[in-house]
Amino acid sequence: MNILKRGFLLIIFISVSAMGFSQVLPVWNDSLNNVVQNDWLVKPVDVKSGVFKSADGRDLILYNGLVKRTFRITPNLACTDYRNLRTGRQLIRAVSEEARIRINGKEYAVGGLHGQKEKAYLMKDWAGHFTAGAGDFCYTGYSVKPVEPFIKWDSSRFWAMNRTGGRGTAVSFFFSPEDDALRGLQVTVKYELYDGIPLIVKSVSLVNRGKRVLKIERLVSEVLAMAEEESAIGKDGPITTPKGLYIESNYAFNNAMSYPYSDQTTHWTTDSTYTSQVSYWLKNPCKLEVYPAEVTGIDMLPGDTLNSVRTHELLMDGYDREMRGLAVRKMYRVVAPWVTANPIFMHLVSRNDEQVMTAIDQCAATGYEALIISFGSHLRMEDTSRVNLQRWKAIADYAHGKGIRIGCYSLFSSRSISPEDDVIDPKTGKPNAHAFFEKAPCFGSRWGLWYRDNIKNFFIKTGFDIWENDGPYPGDLCASTTHPGHKNVDDSQWRQMNIQKELYHWLNERGVYINSPDWYFLDGSHKIAMGYKEVNFKLPRENQKILNRQNIFDGTWEKTPSMGWGFVPLTEYGGGGPESVIEPLSEHLKDYEQLMVQYYGAGIQACYRGPRLYDTEETKQMVASVISWYKKYRQILNSDIIHLRRADGRDWDGFLHVNPSLKEKGLIMMFNPTKEKVERTVKIPLYYSGLSETASVREKEGRPVVYKLNRDYTIDLTFTLEAEGYTWFVME
């Protein structure tokens, strides 16, 4: 196991035996606390992740130069140190259990130590006096392995920034119950520590090797007594939750197009045992627990396995919004590399096969890479007839022969199937009274399971490459007791989510690209909407251009460019007059071009929705030219966005792409929405570009000018923008 830079430390090995594994671990040395000096968001960290053992054998330490997490392993296992090594910040103030499980009405702690009286801080020597709890799950051993890909993604079909995920070290801690009623239930708590990023992914797995059915009423997979950041004596008013950790799990939904509003598992609670806190009524939200609140009863039969949500814990170095967003975007690239795939696609509205063939030809002629047959078209995925499948296979074969990938649209939610198959309201017992989208089928119903199997069959039989799904549902509960995919309301959300996750994983393993309606990135979706209001596409094109740039600016704080899609109504979308659409294309070339440039300039694919990409040779050349420019700068345009100025229609607006690992360290896009030419001198922040002394800057393909960076890593850039025009600058 390569833990450190060569020659840095003479490693002493200890041989241990854990759950049948014979493993060798290096001994911890405190000098490792200060190995990394550089900013990991700018310069790669050349320290490998690993697991150490303390010299006295009582502690195990997870470490990668950026984060250190220490576990006392006797007389039970508990986390005693969780530290950001770049800032020196201690994240926890007290020991907690590793997990908590409610089984058949009784609650059990997994690991944990007792005896800490002062809960505001944890002295190093206190752990030696702690004791194990009675009747809980006790630590029995561990194993260490390399991190394995969560999804075996076939990355061969589409362009992507990252084709493989991050590397790292995984340690699994094993626990057995003391309660005879749980005999045979094995619990594993797993930590995955990644190289080069202060990220730990935690999960818990239960295996029922006993002879009894166990009802899991709640599985809390993470418990942390966090050091608070704010105190207030009074009992009224919110107190800020700790911000040293960014928490995200793979159990998120509600159609918000943003994780914080989609989160279903992060719970900040108070801690009544922390009696020395400033809050007189002990109301400080300083205890983190992770669990899906609506999952209240999962039956584990003998032989069953239950895997918890996967909690991503990303340590933050500060409070700056841009820095925090960059860290989150880096996390996605490491743990979910499929989100970096970003094919250039058209959104076709078709009435017949001939229109599909024509659109395929136009995509091939202009440099597009994919065609998605949009909603409102003549493709019907639910037609399982042999004739229909053969028809679309022939069209897919034609597209592939032209070098074009092809995709399709499918509606799940927002419709009723039947009283027997729709979600049943837990309160009224009636269908479609509780669904998020007013009405929706249950994924665990007979129709829902048929739908899943039919989607798989369609992709197997036709060879299609992209699935744009409107649904599955965003967490609907279902009180049916006759649906084969779940037992009742207690497990309905969990079972439906697992059906969906399995389908997404299956599609990824076959290289199918997924446009999904919600925050399912960590389970295999590739792209969602950037965030927009549909009725805005009825507005005049002048409005749309500015609104789209606002959506781009607002939607890329935590999403990479490849994770969101925009929209361009080539033809009417939900109303609006001739001033709201691009057709006839040749009559609105200026607007068509700018809409393309501002989306591709952000690295964002838009749904160019209509029957064609061009109508004249001049239009064809414009489209091909923009695509050629995008492909030339594709790497930097798909890199992180630094937000410069939000569009407001009053002055210039723009954003900056940065990537320290490329020749082009930065690329600025600037727009002028006003009716007058403007000349401005603006400070451009280049810290995250990796440039530190000078920057060679050229406007478009012009001659470069060398700028000396200011002490704050900025340059003073002077530029001119024509009325209603745009420009771009490359930095090397």
Side-chain angles (χ1 to χ4, degrees):
M1 183 185 302
N2 183 14
I3 304 295
L4 298 170
K5 302 175 187 177
R6 289 183 182 177
F8 183 84
L9 177 70
L10 177 62
I11 297 177
I12 305 172
F13 290 101
I14 294 178
S15 179
V16 298
S17 179
M19 295 296 288
F21 295 95
S22 180
Q23 301 189 284
V24 177
L25 296 180
V27 173
W28 175 255
N29 186 312
D30 282 339
S31 63
L32 300 177
N33 286 326
N34 302 306
V35 171
V36 176
Q37 304 297 326
N38 56 280
D39 188 339
W40 63 275
L41 287 170
V42 178
K43 184 179 179 181
V45 172
D46 188 21
V47 178
K48 301 300 182 184
S49 60
V51 180
F52 292 76
K53 194 161 188 179
S54 61
D56 61 10
R58 295 191 296 174
D59 297 317
L60 289 182
I61 300 109
L62 278 69
Y63 168 84
N64 70 353
L66 296 169
V67 56
K68 176 187 176 186
R69 189 160 180 169
T70 303
F71 298 88
R72 177 57 55 98
I73 60 175
T74 180
N76 206 350
L77 186 139
C79 177
T80 58
D81 182 13
Y82 198 177
R83 202 180 316 175
N84 184 327
L85 295 179
R86 283 207 72 232
T87 65
R89 179 178 182 175
Q90 178 61 245
L91 296 172
I92 63 171
R93 56 180 173 77
V95 294
S96 304
E97 60 269 35
E98 282 296 293
R100 194 169 63 250
I101 315 173
R102 188 185 304 150
I103 308 172
N104 297 339
K106 185 176 179 180
E107 199 153 70
Y108 300 87
V110 177
L113 293 168
H114 298 267
Q116 184 176 350
K117 297 179 180 179
E118 174 55 70
K119 298 293 182 72
Y121 53 88
L122 174 58
M123 301 292 283
K124 188 175 182 180
D125 59 348
W126 289 358
H129 303 286
F130 293 163
T131 61
D136 294 326
F137 284 81
C138 292
Y139 168 72
T140 60
Y142 70 92
S143 70
V144 179
K145 296 180 179 179
V147 165
E148 297 179 351
F150 180 56
I151 297 176
K152 296 179 175 62
W153 171 49
D154 178 358
S155 63
S156 63
R157 295 196 192 185
F158 300 100
W159 182 93
M161 282 281 283
N162 293 21
R163 297 200 177 274
T164 58
R167 297 182 178 181
T169 302
V171 58
S172 296
F173 296 121
F174 307 112
F175 298 85
S176 294
E178 290 189 338
D179 191 337
D180 286 340
L182 303 180
R183 187 180 301 277
L185 181 60
Q186 298 178 356
V187 177
T188 300
V189 177
K190 185 177 182 180
Y191 290 91
E192 300 169 42
L193 176 62
Y194 284 83
D195 298 344
I197 179 173
L199 173 67
I200 292 176
V201 181
K202 182 178 181 181
S203 58
V204 177
S205 177
L206 312 182
V207 180
N208 184 6
R209 300 195 185 282
K211 298 180 180 180
R212 303 178 182 180
V213 176
L214 302 175
K215 184 178 183 180
I216 310 301
E217 297 167 356
R218 174 147 294 167
L219 172 54
V220 181
S221 54
E222 178 63 297
V223 184
L224 288 173
M226 298 284 289
E228 70 270 39
E229 297 179 10
E230 182 178 272
S231 295
I233 293 177
K235 64 179 179 180
D236 298 323
I239 300 177
T240 302
T241 57
K243 298 297 188 292
L245 277 181
Y246 171 82
I247 304 294
E248 181 167 339
S249 81
N250 64 331
Y251 199 88
F253 45 81
N254 82 353
N255 211 35
M257 310 304 168
S258 173
Y259 180 77
Y261 303 105
S262 304
D263 179 24
Q264 304 292 327
T265 58
T266 303
H267 305 276
W268 289 101
T269 67
T270 57
D271 186 353
S272 62
T273 68
Y274 175 17
T275 56
S276 60
Q277 63 181 279
V278 171
S279 174
Y280 191 82
W281 285 274
L282 308 181
K283 295 294 186 180
N284 207 321
C286 54
K287 189 173 184 180
L288 170 69
E289 296 188 351
V290 176
Y291 60 89
E294 299 291 349
V295 181
T296 56
I298 301 173
D299 285 347
M300 287 191 70
L301 304 179
D304 280 357
T305 296
L306 175 63
N307 296 315
S308 75
V309 300
R310 290 169 54 82
T311 303
H312 298 68
E313 303 178 11
L314 180 63
L315 279 66
M316 291 292 181
D317 293 345
Y319 300 89
D320 176 72
R321 186 181 185 187
E322 197 76 83
M323 178 276 293
R324 294 176 71 91
L326 287 164
V328 172
R329 288 173 253 161
K330 174 73 171 181
M331 178 190 76
Y332 293 131
R333 293 186 175 103
V334 169
V335 300
W338 48 86
V339 304
T340 70
N342 203 11
I344 307 169
F345 60 79
M346 178 199 178
H347 230 240
L348 173 69
V349 182
S350 65
R351 295 184 178 86
N352 53 59
D353 294 356
E354 183 179 354
Q355 288 182 322
V356 179
M357 300 296 194
T358 299
I360 291 170
D361 292 340
Q362 287 201 348
C363 285
T366 53
Y368 272 68
E369 297 166 344
L371 175 74
I372 301 176
I373 301 173
S374 185
F375 49 91
S377 297
H378 74 299
L379 186 152
R380 299 290 180 266
M381 288 190 73
E382 291 169 34
D383 181 350
T384 60
S385 68
R386 182 179 179 184
V387 171
N388 187 57
L389 295 174
Q390 289 180 337
R391 168 194 188 184
W392 289 108
K393 182 183 186 306
I395 292 176
D397 290 344
Y398 179 80
H400 295 159
K402 293 279 187 174
I404 302 299
R405 298 297 180 182
I406 188 166
C408 49
Y409 169 89
S410 175
L411 178 68
F412 185 94
S413 298
S414 303
R415 62 168 169 163
S416 173
I417 301 302
S418 72
E420 294 75 28
D421 293 299
D422 293 344
V423 293
I424 303 299
D425 179 25
K427 294 182 179 179
T428 66
K430 297 180 180 180
N432 290 322
H434 181 79
F436 186 92
F437 288 116
E438 296 184 358
K439 51 187 178 181
C442 173
F443 220 161
S445 68
R446 294 187 186 279
W447 182 89
L449 298 177
W450 170 87
Y451 176 88
R452 174 203 61 192
D453 295 341
N454 185 55
I455 294 299
K456 292 182 178 181
N457 184 59
F458 183 88
F459 281 97
I460 290 171
K461 296 293 178 61
T462 64
F464 265 55
D465 311 282
I466 301 173
W467 188 38
E468 182 167 295
N469 53 313
D470 203 345
Y473 79 118
D476 287 332
L477 297 174
C478 179
S480 171
T481 58
T482 61
H483 290 172
H486 67 95
K487 182 178 180 181
N488 52 34
V489 67
D490 294 341
D491 69 342
S492 63
Q493 187 185 87
W494 181 263
R495 300 294 187 189
Q496 290 182 79
M497 286 294 290
N498 280 339
I499 294 168
Q500 175 185 317
K501 290 169 184 283
E502 187 276 333
L503 177 57
Y504 278 20
H505 290 209
W506 185 92
L507 290 167
N508 268 270
E509 290 172 4
R510 285 150 185 82
V512 175
Y513 190 92
I514 303 171
N515 278 358
S516 68
D518 219 325
W519 206 269
Y520 306 138
F521 289 115
L522 297 179
D523 270 300
S525 69
H526 298 72
K527 198 185 296 292
I528 63 172
M530 184 54 62
Y532 62 83
K533 192 173 184 179
E534 287 188 327
V535 296
N536 288 350
F537 298 112
K538 300 178 184 179
L539 299 175
R541 293 182 293 277
E542 293 303 309
N543 300 64
Q544 290 186 42
K545 285 187 287 187
I546 295 176
L547 290 170
N548 288 354
R549 294 204 300 277
Q550 289 183 340
N551 294 340
I552 290 168
F553 197 92
D554 299 341
T556 51
W557 287 100
E558 292 167 336
K559 292 195 289 285
T560 68
S562 57
M563 290 168 67
W565 52 263
F567 195 86
V568 175
L570 300 180
T571 54
E572 183 179 307
Y573 179 72
E579 70 278 2
S580 68
V581 299
I582 308 299
E583 285 280 4
L585 305 178
S586 58
E587 295 181 16
H588 306 109
L589 268 184
K590 183 178 178 182
D591 290 332
Y592 192 9
E593 178 184 358
Q594 181 159 325
L595 284 164
M596 290 186 71
V597 167
Q598 63 188 41
Y599 273 124
Y600 287 119
I604 294 169
Q605 305 300 325
C607 298
Y608 299 90
R609 188 171 189 272
R612 57 188 177 178
L613 285 172
Y614 58 83
D615 53 0
T616 66
E617 183 61 27
E618 183 183 12
T619 308
K620 175 183 176 182
Q621 292 304 318
M622 184 279 292
V623 172
S625 176
V626 173
I627 296 302
S628 177
W629 169 78
Y630 170 70
K631 287 183 175 179
K632 178 177 180 179
Y633 294 104
R634 194 170 197 168
Q635 290 281 342
I636 186 64
L637 291 174
N638 275 267
S639 299
D640 281 316
I641 283 179
I642 303 297
H643 300 76
L644 299 180
R645 188 177 189 278
R646 190 177 188 267
D648 59 10
R650 300 185 179 195
D651 204 343
W652 75 277
D653 60 83
F655 44 83
L656 161 69
H657 292 278
V658 293
N659 193 327
S661 66
L662 298 179
K663 176 186 175 184
E664 297 92 0
K665 306 294 183 186
L667 192 150
I668 305 174
M669 297 297 305
M670 292 179 167
F671 302 89
N672 177 15
T674 73
K675 305 292 184 182
E676 300 175 356
K677 183 189 334 187
V678 299
E679 182 175 327
R680 299 285 185 268
T681 298
V682 176
K683 283 191 178 295
I684 304 298
L686 295 182
Y687 175 76
Y688 290 110
S689 72
L691 296 169
S692 58
E693 302 293 334
T694 62
S696 177
V697 182
R698 58 179 167 84
E699 185 171 9
K700 297 183 177 178
E701 303 299 346
R703 296 183 63 182
V705 177
V706 176
Y707 289 76
K708 183 177 180 180
L709 271 65
N710 302 319
R711 291 184 67 182
D712 61 356
Y713 295 93
T714 64
I715 61 170
D716 299 307
L717 180 68
T718 300
F719 58 90
T720 300
L721 281 168
E722 297 297 327
E724 299 181 311
Y726 65 86
T727 191
W728 46 279
F729 294 86
V730 176
M731 302 179 172
E732 298 177 348

